[in-house]
Amino acid sequence: MFITRSSGSATRRPSAKVARALEIHRSVMACNAHIAIDRESTHALTAALMLPCYKAEFRTLVLAMSSEEERELRYALNASCASVA
């Protein structure tokens, strides 16, 4: 589910960079969950290896975003965090 704020009340799909950043963020969260559940499992070990790669890719992508895309990403991440809580 993609939720972004636009100038009106309409909801639109996020830009390609924002959509990719949201995918990476979900991967980071999944890695953290696997590590928290069982540090000795194969999934947790794989997650521990992939986590720095995902974080670096996320950071690089955010640095390449325009200010509008950054706002769009912040809003989408806030909305997803609010729905989890």
Side-chain angles (χ1 to χ4, degrees):
M1 177 170 87
F2 296 109
I3 302 171
T4 58
R5 188 182 335 191
S6 62
S7 58
S9 61
T11 301
R12 60 184 170 84
R13 293 194 61 81
S15 71
K17 287 181 187 174
V18 172
R20 179 67 186 136
L22 291 171
E23 289 174 17
I24 296 168
H25 185 264
R26 282 190 291 275
S27 296
V28 168
M29 299 308 293
C31 285
N32 286 329
H34 280 296
I35 293 168
I37 291 170
D38 181 9
R39 289 182 175 266
E40 301 302 318
S41 74
T42 304
H43 293 295
L45 295 175
T46 303
L49 291 172
M50 291 303 299
L51 192 55
C53 299
Y54 286 134
K55 287 182 175 181
E57 186 178 359
F58 185 84
R59 188 177 313 113
T60 302
L61 190 57
V62 169
L63 289 173
M65 288 182 177
S66 68
S67 58
E68 177 61 33
E69 288 170 323
E70 285 182 38
R71 277 191 297 275
E72 187 178 345
L73 178 60
R74 271 193 222 102
Y75 181 77
L77 289 174
N78 286 341
S80 76
C81 289
S83 68
V84 171

